[in-house]
Amino acid sequence: MSAVLDFAAPSPRAQERDRRWAPSAEPAPLVAIHGLQVAFDDGVTRLPVLHGIDLDVRHGEALGIVGESGCGKSVTWLAVLGLLGARARVSGEVRLDGDAIDSLRGDALARIRGKRIAMIFQDPASALNPVHRIGKQLCEALALHRGLRGEAARAQALRLLDRVKIPSARQRLDAYPHQLSGGMNQRVMIAMALAGEPDLLVADEPTTALDATIQAQILALLDEIRRDSGMALALISHDLGVIAEVCDRVMVMYAGRIVESAQCRALFDRPAHPYTRGLLAALPDLTRPRARLEAIAGGVPAPGSVLAGCSFRERCTFAVDACHHVVPVQTMVAPGHCAACVRALS
């Protein structure tokens, strides 16, 4: 027996989505995420790691996503791209240029990865295949995303290596990953991400384990490519100093929630959330006399360990009774500046 599907009346969920994403005076964001939740379920235990993430990335902007390890920064984008595996339970809405992509699976989602949204992972040594030459791996990406093969693909791979400023690019095409330095392998990863000419590049801790000089070069390269190509950049980092170098806007994450969002300058000048203030206090100030850095006591709570109230309350010097039973919501403390704190500091 075949079922008869009635497409005349949209479901209540579809009607709600249409209302939420109705056209407005402001340009639609490139990527818009609403209510993103992620939990990992092994059949016995269910561990929630994201608790309703709302964020958007605008065309051509650089968005910084900052927080300690374990706050959910990488998981957010892995969930968007469907890379979390079978045990992940993902819900929420994700739109790319206004089109819903949260329900896409298989080949439909694969056409988004790399082509529309590309991701640079933090460890190029594990992301690159050690048994294949750099040129072969670049050509595979070009074949997948742009249909280039043979000499056309190799010529474009050479142009990509030149674009990310790898010296002796022609010789590097025939090199293996182990023959290149960490900084060079990271440039190869950037080149692979650019192979599909993406609208959004997600850079997940792209300067981890690199020395300060190479780190600065990689950040400058990402910023230059973004400005030249017009693509958007989502830069994931635990380092506010890195974010300040590149980003227009910043979102601070803690324990699976966004706790503060603002333009970059406003966040550094007037941090409103105690967690953000703690992160800034832990940064060395080279313009002032040497002093001991202020560390945030404790650590990020394990997934599932916080059942009620503010997840930062045990580490917060401003906590009050309400923090133990009220989950704070985003509150505007200034135009374009929001914080999720019952005692948001303006």
Side-chain angles (χ1 to χ4, degrees):
M1 180 183 293
S2 61
V4 178
L5 301 179
D6 181 9
F7 293 100
S11 68
R13 182 173 182 267
Q15 294 179 37
E16 175 60 24
R17 287 170 66 132
D18 289 342
R19 283 193 297 270
R20 182 176 297 118
W21 301 102
S24 65
E26 295 184 1
L30 172 63
V31 175
I33 301 171
H34 178 78
L36 183 65
Q37 299 185 51
V38 174
F40 290 99
D41 190 344
D42 62 2
V44 178
T45 305
R46 186 180 181 89
L47 295 178
V49 294
L50 294 185
H51 309 281
I53 299 298
D54 295 334
L55 68 82
D56 57 65
V57 183
R58 300 159 191 163
H59 289 268
E61 82 163 336
L63 173 69
I65 304 172
V66 71
E68 295 169 278
S69 297
C71 286
K73 307 182 299 298
S74 301
V75 170
T76 297
W77 291 102
L78 292 173
V80 167
L81 294 173
L83 297 174
L84 288 178
R87 292 184 177 179
R89 303 292 178 261
V90 181
S91 62
E93 300 172 9
V94 182
R95 293 216 170 201
L96 176 61
D97 264 338
D99 297 324
I101 64 170
D102 50 87
S103 60
L104 298 182
R105 299 291 184 272
D107 291 342
L109 187 56
R111 286 192 287 270
I112 299 294
R113 300 187 198 115
K115 182 62 178 174
R116 301 293 307 278
I117 304 175
M119 192 166 183
I120 305 171
F121 298 98
Q122 59 182 286
D123 183 9
S126 61
L128 292 171
N129 192 323
V131 301
H132 290 302
R133 299 178 191 273
I134 296 301
K136 178 179 174 60
Q137 297 185 59
L138 282 169
C139 288
E140 286 179 350
L142 289 163
L144 177 63
H145 299 306
R146 293 167 61 181
L148 297 177
R149 290 176 172 79
E151 288 303 315
R154 188 172 175 86
Q156 184 59 35
L158 180 59
R159 284 194 286 271
L160 285 171
L161 292 187
D162 284 332
R163 189 178 185 187
V164 297
K165 301 179 180 178
I166 289 183
S168 305
R170 191 174 299 277
Q171 287 72 36
R172 303 297 186 186
L173 282 174
D174 295 319
Y176 290 95
H178 74 270
Q179 295 176 304
L180 304 182
S181 66
M184 286 297 172
N185 275 325
Q186 192 60 280
R187 290 173 188 267
V188 172
M189 289 298 302
I190 296 172
M192 290 183 69
L194 296 176
E197 300 178 321
D199 299 313
L200 170 64
L201 178 61
V202 181
D204 186 1
E205 301 277 11
T207 58
T208 296
L210 301 179
D211 63 52
T213 301
I214 303 302
Q215 180 181 97
Q217 292 174 0
I218 295 295
L219 292 174
L221 175 63
L222 288 173
D223 191 48
E224 178 185 325
I225 290 172
R226 177 180 72 88
R227 295 181 187 278
D228 289 347
S229 66
M231 73 176 182
L233 173 67
L235 178 60
I236 299 170
S237 181
H238 63 275
D239 187 340
L240 276 167
V242 168
I243 296 295
E245 289 289 327
V246 177
C247 297
D248 306 312
R249 195 159 53 96
V250 188
M251 290 188 171
V252 181
M253 289 190 68
Y254 184 78
R257 290 186 170 91
I258 294 174
V259 297
E260 187 166 2
S261 61
Q263 293 296 314
C264 195
R265 175 61 65 87
L267 186 101
F268 279 81
D269 289 347
R270 297 177 302 279
H273 196 282
Y275 178 59
T276 309
R277 291 195 168 192
L279 292 177
L280 289 171
L283 290 175
D285 189 338
L286 302 181
T287 65
R288 296 181 181 178
R290 190 186 320 185
R292 182 181 295 274
L293 299 179
E294 299 179 25
I296 305 175
V300 179
S305 63
V306 178
L307 302 179
C310 175
S311 55
F312 187 61
R313 65 177 187 259
E314 299 298 332
R315 307 174 70 187
C316 182
T317 57
F318 298 94
V320 294
D321 288 343
C323 301
H324 291 268
H325 55 81
V326 175
V327 177
V329 297
Q330 291 281 341
T331 302
M332 185 176 293
V333 297
H337 191 163
C338 296
C341 178
V342 297
R343 299 187 64 194
L345 309 173
S346 58

